């Protein structure tokens, strides 16, 4: 928790009695929020609690039905994000909003380009970028194309762009969701520096350990209403979870099935396309029936590329993937699925789901070609099959025809898992299975995973969430620069060991 002491006086931002309804949904009801100078205020809550709606109202992306906003004691009304920016409020989205084909300097001043005699003043454009980059500690030339940057560097460019507007309030939405452990530490330092420089920050995160590290105060939302506030020593994981879910939190318990069968997935001498380096080694691993093996490591270590190669998205340069003793044909995803592989991708909105289609369409998508009557698929089969998966996985939707985009992140993830289960896969690959999912939904997803491994499915999981890795893994394989640096089992599975291997070290040195 922060050691700074925000002034109880001088509130910079006050929201009073905000209400917002959408057709059939009460998103916010009488929500109050107060943010002081030099304060980090964390806003937490389950998916669907109203966080996103509140942030969009504060940033001018959306207008409340009723309620008021005040900046430095003056009542304001925002009709657009530009109005909010002029008032000193900038929202940094979880999904980065940069133009990859433009330079850093062009992105930082996009829409606010300095001009001289009707032409863009390139020198001033670079000067603005240089000053903003210096504030966030990013040592890059302003003319560097944004498309060449890492995710962490893009995150810093987003913050630099916000600071170039002379923002006094930054709203950070899940800023570490795609960052490595080291990059996350760097962001923490930057947040501390921004607070010292007089910036007020609204910080949204599902990672409660981050909130404990950074927040001066915490505002908890539940079902679109204020559920409680915490400050100082009150900010603990238990107290936040209790307010978020309205009951005593369950302990995150080890989810091991306990017994394992024969090897269902074997990777032999695998070289991954576009990942091979002169000093990396061919990849070897195996996963047994009823076992959860987690691939840990820093972002960029090759974990996702390995999963994509096993599943046939990437070409195998050399080596083999074996499922239940049979070598997988190198003919892509279709053969991988036919061999018993399934993969839940990291970005469910882009590659995991048809986000604007119904729950039913998504759940039956993979299996529909295998139905005996295809292409004349029985509506009763679709309905019956979807109903079974909705009940068995606890998917909360108004009906099977509900659009997936209208569901919470946790329920979207359940749909992404459900679509593979009709075909009864032998091996399930999951890339960041609880990214952007609240703590209650995470526990439900863990329950689903352990239920599946108890049925004999082998599971290979990529996760950057240290608590999750420790909770679900029977074994951990830690990757470093395209190679498997080490294996951890039993009591060896801890944060210190994982980090040591992830940065290229070895245990006992």
């Amino acid at each position: 928790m922060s050691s700074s002491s925000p002034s109880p006086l001088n509130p910079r931002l006050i929201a009073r009695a905000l209400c917002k309804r959408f057709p059939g949904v009460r998103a916010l009801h009488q929500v109050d929020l107060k943010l002081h100078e030099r304060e980090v205020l964390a806003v937490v809550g389950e998916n669907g609690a109203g966080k996103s709606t509140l942030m969009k109202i504060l940033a001018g992306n959306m207008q409340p039905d009723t309620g008021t906003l005040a900046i430095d004691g003056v009542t304001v009304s925002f009709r657009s994000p530009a109005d909010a920016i002029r008032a000193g409020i900038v929202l940094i989205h979880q999904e980065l909003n940069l133009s990859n084909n433009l330079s850093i300097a062009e992105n930082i001043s996009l829409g606010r380009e300095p001009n001289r005699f009707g032409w863009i003043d390139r020198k001033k454009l670079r000067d603005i970028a240089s000053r903003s980059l210096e504030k966030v500690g990013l040592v890059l030339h302003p003319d560097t194309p944004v498309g060449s940057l890492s995710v962490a560097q893009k995150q810093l460019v987003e913050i630099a762009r916000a600071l170039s507007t002379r923002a006094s309030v930054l709203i950070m939405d899940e800023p570490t969701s795609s960052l490595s452990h080291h990059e996350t530490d760097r962001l923490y330092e930057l947040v501390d520096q921004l607070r010292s420089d007089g910036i007020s920050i609204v910080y949204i995160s599902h990672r409660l350990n981050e909130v404990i590290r950074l927040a001066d105060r915490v505002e908890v939302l539940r079902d679109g209403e204020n559920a409680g506030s915490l400050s100082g020593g009150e900010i603990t994981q238990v107290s936040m979870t209790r307010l978020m879910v309205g009951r005593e939190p369950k302990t995150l318990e080890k989810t091991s099935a306990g017994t394992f069968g024969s090897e269902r997935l074997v990777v032999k001498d695998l070289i991954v396309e576009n990942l091979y380096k002169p000093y990396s080694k061919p990849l070897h691993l195996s996963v047994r029936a009823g076992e959860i093996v987690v691939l840990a490591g820093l972002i960029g270590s090759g974990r996702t590329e390995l999963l994509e190669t096993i599943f046939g998205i990437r070409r195998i340069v050399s080596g083999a993937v074996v499922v239940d003793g049979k070598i997988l044909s190198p003919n892509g995803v279709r053969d991988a699925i036919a061999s018993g592989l399934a993969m839940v991708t990291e970005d469910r909105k882009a590659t995991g789901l048809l986000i604007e289609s119904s729950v039913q369409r998504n759940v039956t998508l993979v299996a529909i070609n295998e139905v005996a009557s295809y292409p004349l698929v029985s509506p009763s089969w679709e309905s019956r099959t979807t109903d079974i998966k909705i009940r068995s996985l606890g998917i909360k939707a108004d009906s099977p025809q509900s659009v997936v985009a209208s569901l919470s992140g946790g329920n979207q993830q359940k749909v992404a898992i459900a679509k593979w289960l009709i075909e009864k896969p032998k091996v399930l690959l999951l890339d960041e299975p609880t990214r952007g999912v609240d703590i209650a939904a995470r526990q439900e997803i863990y329950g689903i995973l352990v239920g599946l491994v108890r049925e004999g499915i082998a599971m290979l999981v990529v996760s950057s969430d240290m608590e999750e890795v420790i909770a679900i893994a029977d074994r951990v394989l830690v990757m470093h620069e395209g190679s498997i640096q080490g294996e951890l089992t039993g009591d060896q599975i801890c944060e210190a060991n994982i980090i040591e291997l992830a940065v290229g070290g070895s245990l006992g040195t």
Side-chain angles (χ1 to χ4, degrees), residues 42-87:
V43 177
V44 302
E46 297 185 78
N47 286 340
K51 303 187 302 297
S52 294
T53 302
L54 175 60
M55 296 310 116
K56 288 175 182 177
I57 289 173
L58 297 181
N61 298 82
M62 186 182 292
Q63 290 74 50
D65 297 332
T66 58
T68 62
L69 292 176
I71 303 292
D72 293 328
V74 178
T75 300
V76 294
S77 179
F78 300 148
R79 293 295 161 188
S80 70
D83 289 345
I85 290 171
R86 281 190 288 270

Side-chain angles (χ1 to χ4, degrees), residues 264-265 310-311 321-342 423-427:
R264 302 215 77 165
L265 172 68
I310 293 171
F311 194 56
V321 175
V322 182
V323 179
D324 272 0
K326 297 181 180 178
I327 297 177
L328 187 66
S329 172
N331 292 328
V333 172
R334 185 179 294 274
D335 284 347
I337 294 172
S339 298
L341 287 169
E423 290 291 88
K424 301 186 184 305
K426 301 171 182 176
V427 179

Side-chain angles (χ1 to χ4, degrees), residues 401-479:
Q401 303 308 320
S402 295
V403 175
V404 167
S406 69
L407 306 184
S408 70
N411 285 298
Q412 288 181 15
Q413 192 69 355
K414 291 178 186 178
V415 173
I417 295 170
K419 77 174 188 179
W420 293 108
L421 301 185
I422 300 170
E423 290 291 88
K424 301 186 184 305
K426 301 171 182 176
V427 179
L428 184 58
L429 312 173
L430 300 105
D431 195 352
E432 304 289 0
T434 62
R435 183 185 178 214
V437 171
D438 65 62
I439 192 166
R442 282 176 61 189
Q443 190 68 60
E444 292 175 4
I445 289 171
Y446 296 153
I448 291 169
L449 299 187
V450 73
L452 293 173
V453 294
R454 283 175 177 160
E455 294 173 6
I457 289 178
M459 208 166 287
L460 183 61
V461 181
V462 167
S463 180
S464 300
D465 187 314
M466 203 67 70
E467 182 182 7
E468 177 171 279
V469 173
I470 294 168
I472 71 173
D474 296 306
R475 283 188 294 132
V476 177
L477 303 178
V478 185
M479 293 192 67

Side-chain angles (χ1 to χ4, degrees), residues 139-158:
V139 184
L140 288 172
H141 194 281
D143 290 338
T144 304
V146 161
S148 68
L149 306 184
S150 68
V151 172
Q153 289 171 327
K154 289 179 180 179
Q155 182 73 263
L156 292 176
V157 171
E158 282 274 26

Side-chain angles (χ1 to χ4, degrees), residues 142 314 462 486 509:
R314 291 173 178 261
V462 167
T509 61

